[in-house]
Amino acid sequence: MRNFKKMVSAALVLGMAITSLSSAVSAEESEKLTIAVTGGGEDSMVLNTALCGYLNGLSACRHLYEGLYKLDENGDVVLGQAASVEQSEDGLTWTFTLRDDITWSDGEPVKAADFVFGFDNLAESGGDYCTLVSDVVDSYEATDDKTLVINLKSACGYLPYILAFPSSYPVRQDIKEEFGDSYATDPEKAVYNGPYTLESWSHEAEAVLELRDDYYDADSINVGTINWVLTTEESTALASFESGELVYSDLCPDEETARMEGNGLFYTAGNNNYCIMFNLGENGNDVLKDEKVRQALSLTIDRERIIAIRDLNDELGFTLACSGYTNDEGVDFTEYADPWFDVNDYEGNCEKAKELLAEAGYENGEGFPALTYIVNNDSRKEIAESIVNDWKEILGIDTITVEKVENFFSARSDGDYDIAYYGWYMDYTDLSNMFGSIMNMQTSNAFYSSDEYTAEYTAAISTQDKAEQWEHYKNCEAILAKDLPVSVILHSMSSYLFDDANYDGLVYSCGNYVFTYLSQK
């Protein structure tokens, strides 16, 4: 039996939000604002930059730490802890000079060696983004306290996006070694070089971020306190937003989106996909390690109906990559790559699925073992139940149950599931990020590993010839269509709730949310 963490009640979360906001003062009474926000639960609030892999924690890390680059008020990547950068003529060597006015929250100066240790720590972490830097960087060194030299494997125009991403941020070696595995799990177990410090963390309830007086740009920041409410209860978050207690919420029940349009709900280009994922690891059920079974389950998903249920402007998912990436001829990559299935013949796909399931030994679902399909919120539970119904009606499989779990991300990472919701928000606008997400499944989540896929992906990121690169990515799509560690359902738009009637300046980029530039109207 799974040992899940006790869920925080809606009343407790709401009460924490109200208590935190009771000390808020108006802009007229203070130079700094106090705001309350939510982007998910405790399970996704990982503040160790080397291990953080979910949007809630990544967004919090953008406030607590800062890299060589950062996002500005327009969401563009600009220099952060670096004062300047010089590139060699061949684009392979980047030399960064750090600012003179950057410090950690304990007063120690930020040094180039902190970035070197951060890169090393990331590579050794085994986290979702452990290869983020090493995929493109050949070597790096701190030539003195203020100078960091990075040598690339090949010219990489999107390096600033990588270095603006939380996983590549600096880490203080003495602090990390002092706390070991408990590093960054409580306020006193880390130091922070970003605009905010972690004042308190009431686990499974709320984290409080306070603006640092000694941050180099503190005078231009209007938000002094961020009360980060931790909850997965969408209805509670929506009620708190509508009552004015929350300035921002990443949670909104799908069934309420139509009502909230024009009332604080925003859509933006998604660069993300919505999938189901199969556990191919040693803890996974053997039935799912049969490609024919995975193909049968994938082919019978009525994607058009799911898009209609969600009613969120989704696009049908028939490749891993999302639309919006074009070559010099203006051809979108989703048109260039071969689709994983026939998008125009759902009935034919269902007949093929029946044949595959029979070949696997489960004709009409007879003898199919009991499986659990886990999700992390009510909206995804509704979709999962719709998919399970497709499997029952078409394949005769009636032994798969859906379960919403509080410690969803831990359960998925530990392999404590059979089938799970999986979605990937791109971290920067290059196809390498979407295909790189599959590389991170080798040691967690789907536990999928393919030498063939690794070779194609490595070849793609190693060439600067776009036509050659696309051909390798096309081959990656074909391998995934055959192996199916995940089954893509749709490519979604991003949506969030923001109190734009009273505030300006929210930065939202690839699913990450930044409140540093907020101001009150």
Side-chain angles (χ1 to χ4, degrees):
M1 180 179 293
R2 295 181 177 90
N3 183 23
F4 296 122
K5 296 178 183 177
K6 185 178 180 181
M7 293 179 60
V8 181
S9 71
L12 173 59
V13 173
L14 182 57
M16 287 297 296
I18 293 172
T19 300
S20 297
L21 282 173
S22 64
S23 61
V25 294
S26 68
E28 291 80 8
E29 296 172 325
S30 173
E31 294 180 1
K32 305 299 182 183
L33 302 171
T34 295
I35 62 171
V37 303
T38 190
E42 171 79 15
D43 204 34
S44 62
M45 197 64 160
V46 177
L47 301 182
N48 179 341
T49 54
L51 298 178
C52 185
Y54 305 111
L55 293 174
N56 194 32
L58 288 168
S59 297
C61 284
R62 289 187 182 275
H63 296 76
L64 294 169
Y65 310 97
E66 187 172 285
L68 294 166
Y69 292 89
K70 65 179 181 179
L71 297 180
D72 69 5
E73 64 272 16
N74 299 312
D76 296 326
V77 172
V78 298
L79 290 174
Q81 299 277 286
S84 63
V85 58
E86 294 182 4
Q87 296 182 45
S88 60
E89 288 187 10
D90 60 7
L92 295 179
T93 301
W94 296 48
T95 302
F96 293 90
T97 301
L98 300 187
R99 297 176 62 104
D100 292 327
D101 53 0
I102 51 177
T103 63
W104 293 96
S105 54
D106 64 355
E108 290 292 316
V110 178
K111 300 177 181 179
D114 297 329
F115 286 91
V116 170
F117 181 74
F119 294 165
D120 289 342
N121 185 57
L122 174 65
E124 295 169 2
S125 69
D128 286 348
Y129 293 98
C130 63
T131 65
L132 179 73
V133 173
S134 60
D135 279 343
V136 297
V137 173
D138 183 53
S139 64
Y140 43 84
E141 64 174 332
T143 57
D144 57 47
D145 285 349
K146 289 294 182 182
T147 308
L148 177 69
V149 180
I150 297 178
N151 298 300
L152 304 181
K153 295 177 180 177
S154 59
C156 178
Y158 59 88
L159 180 64
Y161 290 90
I162 292 175
L163 298 179
F165 192 74
S167 301
S168 68
Y169 289 177
V171 176
R172 273 268 296 281
Q173 183 172 0
D174 59 329
I175 303 297
K176 173 62 174 66
E177 291 179 348
E178 177 183 356
F179 292 106
D181 291 342
S182 65
Y183 170 73
T185 57
D186 281 300
E188 69 279 4
K189 295 179 180 178
V191 288
Y192 314 96
N193 74 315
Y196 293 86
T197 186
L198 186 60
E199 181 68 18
S200 64
W201 188 352
S202 300
H203 290 286
E204 306 211 33
E206 180 187 60
V208 178
L209 283 60
E210 292 285 353
L211 181 64
R212 292 175 52 204
D213 293 336
D214 56 349
Y215 177 68
Y216 65 85
D217 199 29
D219 288 345
S220 68
I221 298 175
N222 295 312
V223 178
T225 302
I226 305 174
N227 297 311
W228 212 295
V229 179
L230 304 177
T231 181
T232 59
E233 294 298 319
E234 294 177 322
S235 58
T236 302
L238 177 60
S240 297
F241 176 79
E242 290 193 277
S243 69
E245 291 151 10
L246 293 177
V247 169
Y248 172 92
S249 174
D250 205 39
L251 307 172
C252 181
D254 288 350
E255 64 270 17
E256 297 287 355
T257 55
R259 181 176 67 83
M260 293 306 296
E261 286 189 33
N263 294 301
L265 180 67
F266 290 84
Y267 289 102
T268 187
N271 286 314
N272 61 73
N273 54 31
Y274 189 119
C275 314
I276 62 172
M277 180 166 59
F278 304 106
N279 185 350
L280 305 182
E282 61 182 22
N283 293 335
N285 193 296
D286 286 343
V287 71
L288 295 175
K289 296 174 185 177
D290 188 329
E291 287 184 8
K292 291 180 179 180
V293 171
R294 300 198 300 276
Q295 288 281 356
L297 295 176
S298 178
L299 288 170
T300 47
I301 298 172
D302 189 345
R303 291 164 172 82
E304 295 285 3
R305 189 182 76 253
I306 291 172
I307 289 174
I309 292 172
R310 281 168 49 87
D311 193 23
L312 295 172
N313 304 311
D314 300 320
E315 295 179 346
L316 184 69
F318 50 85
T319 57
L320 183 74
C322 307
S323 62
Y325 297 86
T326 57
N327 61 15
D328 294 337
E329 288 74 43
V331 177
D332 196 278
F333 181 79
T334 58
E335 299 173 3
Y336 177 83
D338 296 324
W340 290 19
F341 54 88
D342 189 340
V343 297
N344 298 312
D345 188 11
Y346 178 65
E347 291 185 3
N349 292 337
C350 290
E351 291 304 313
K352 181 179 178 181
K354 293 176 184 178
E355 295 173 4
L356 288 168
L357 195 66
E359 291 173 10
Y362 304 101
E363 186 170 6
N364 298 320
E366 291 293 327
F368 200 88
L371 302 177
T372 302
Y373 180 163
I374 67 170
V375 297
N376 61 331
N377 61 46
D378 290 333
S379 297
R380 288 168 184 160
K381 185 172 186 286
E382 179 186 9
I383 298 303
E385 288 171 342
S386 177
I387 292 171
V388 167
N389 188 65
D390 287 337
W391 295 336
K392 179 180 180 180
E393 295 297 320
I394 297 165
L395 299 176
I397 298 173
D398 60 1
T399 54
I400 301 178
T401 56
V402 177
E403 183 177 352
K404 187 181 88 167
V405 297
E406 180 68 15
N407 64 336
F408 170 80
F409 293 114
S410 295
R412 202 177 66 178
S413 182
D414 293 342
D416 192 14
Y417 76 97
D418 298 312
I419 302 170
Y421 161 79
Y422 175 77
W424 185 263
Y425 284 76
M426 292 182 68
D427 309 306
Y428 52 86
T429 52
D430 188 87
L431 285 172
S432 64
N433 185 239
M434 182 60 78
F435 290 103
S437 68
I438 301 299
M439 298 293 291
N440 296 325
M441 291 183 175
Q442 295 184 11
T443 57
S444 66
N445 294 312
F447 303 91
Y448 167 72
S449 180
S450 163
D451 292 341
E452 185 182 13
Y453 183 88
T454 298
E456 290 295 339
Y457 173 74
T458 302
I461 65 173
S462 299
T463 180
Q464 296 302 304
D465 184 296
K466 191 166 187 177
E468 182 180 347
Q469 185 181 75
W470 272 36
E471 192 63 22
H472 288 300
Y473 283 142
K474 179 179 180 179
N475 293 339
C476 285
E477 292 278 10
I479 295 166
L480 294 177
K482 173 178 66 71
D483 292 351
L484 279 178
V486 299
S487 177
V488 183
I489 299 172
L490 55 90
H491 296 144
S492 63
M493 299 288 282
S494 291
S495 62
Y496 57 87
L497 295 167
F498 175 60
D499 182 8
D500 64 323
N502 295 300
Y503 296 89
D504 282 320
L506 174 70
V507 172
Y508 190 94
S509 176
C510 285
N512 287 238
Y513 24 96
V514 178
F515 308 112
T516 309
Y517 307 104
L518 243 59
S519 62
Q520 196 167 37
K521 290 183 176 179

